[in-house]
Amino acid sequence: MRGQGELYPLKILVAGGFGVGKTTFVRSLSEIPPLLTEASMTSASIGVDETALVPNKTTTTVAMDFGRITVDESLILYLFGTPGQSRFWFMWDELARGAVGAVVLVDLRRVDECFPAIDYFEDRRIPYVVAVNGFPGSGIHTEDDVRDALALAGSTPVVWMDAREADSSLHSLVALVEHALSRTAAVG
């Protein structure tokens, strides 16, 4: 049992496909200047990274993003944004080590790009929430539509959010922490 005044650090992953807003999510929440490993996209990404629906994207995460949120004097959340492209997935196991859960960002215009992240966390039994990041042209969809499209279990939380807004991103983190705690209580 931890003593009074001890710090509880929690590691949370922010995952999803290419260009879904992971870096923006970490940037919107971090109380410190986030560590971002953004690199300019080059001609080498032509035909590899699908940019048609994110035409203004000029950089991409090549290792990870890192941010921190102090909840109170005893609880700090460490956010680790994963790279979205499959060529960087070899790093996910290291990033996921010790994580209490994940926020999987989804762009409903490109649903297929979130399946690798969902499969990853399901296979490893890491609690996650699906955070539908609002993009122009996404259309209006119900929670049932999203659950059906992603073949989600009924216990997996689905939230709507805007990664550019701290309050909206925070709502996703709260949903994740509540989900992880409920899974821990069910097991314990």
Side-chain angles (χ1 to χ4, degrees), residues 61-108:
T61 300
V62 295
M64 68 173 187
D65 299 320
F66 173 78
R68 183 184 77 199
I69 303 169
T70 301
V71 176
D72 60 29
E73 64 278 348
S74 65
L75 181 61
I76 292 181
L77 303 179
Y78 293 106
L79 304 176
F80 288 81
T82 65
Q85 297 98 321
S86 59
R87 65 185 175 272
F88 298 121
W89 287 344
F90 67 92
M91 295 185 300
W92 280 37
D93 285 338
E94 288 302 316
L95 290 173
R97 185 169 286 128
V100 297
V103 175
V104 176
L105 295 180
V106 176
D107 177 351
L108 291 179

Side-chain angles (χ1 to χ4, degrees), residues 6-179:
E6 286 195 51
L7 184 62
Y8 293 89
L10 297 179
K11 182 179 186 180
I12 294 175
L13 296 182
V14 181
F18 171 72
V20 298
K22 299 175 298 292
T23 298
T24 302
F25 183 97
V26 171
R27 188 181 284 137
S28 77
L29 286 172
S30 184
E31 67 192 23
I32 61 170
L35 167 68
L36 306 175
T37 60
E38 292 278 289
S40 295
M41 294 174 62
T42 65
S43 59
S45 69
I46 296 173
V48 177
D49 299 326
E50 181 55 50
T51 60
L53 290 172
V54 285
N56 297 326
K57 187 162 181 61
T58 59
T59 62
T60 189
T61 300
V62 295
M64 68 173 187
D65 299 320
F66 173 78
R68 183 184 77 199
I69 303 169
T70 301
V71 176
D72 60 29
E73 64 278 348
S74 65
L75 181 61
I76 292 181
L77 303 179
Y78 293 106
L79 304 176
F80 288 81
T82 65
Q85 297 98 321
S86 59
R87 65 185 175 272
F88 298 121
W89 287 344
F90 67 92
M91 295 185 300
W92 280 37
D93 285 338
E94 288 302 316
L95 290 173
R97 185 169 286 128
V100 297
V103 175
V104 176
L105 295 180
V106 176
D107 177 351
L108 291 179
R109 302 170 303 170
R110 303 175 293 139
V111 171
D112 57 322
E113 292 185 18
C114 72
F115 286 115
I118 289 172
D119 290 345
Y120 182 89
F121 298 118
E122 285 182 352
D123 289 347
R124 287 155 184 82
R125 293 187 171 95
I126 296 173
Y128 69 94
V129 298
V130 169
V132 179
N133 195 6
F135 283 93
S138 293
I140 298 172
H141 301 278
T142 66
E143 182 175 332
D144 287 339
D145 292 340
V146 172
R147 285 186 181 288
D148 289 345
L150 302 179
L152 295 176
S155 61
T156 302
V158 175
V159 297
W160 274 257
M161 51 86 66
D162 183 334
R164 299 169 298 182
E165 298 176 5
D167 287 344
S168 185
S169 296
L170 187 58
H171 172 71
S172 301
L173 283 181
V174 169
L176 171 62
V177 171
E178 289 173 349
H179 177 57

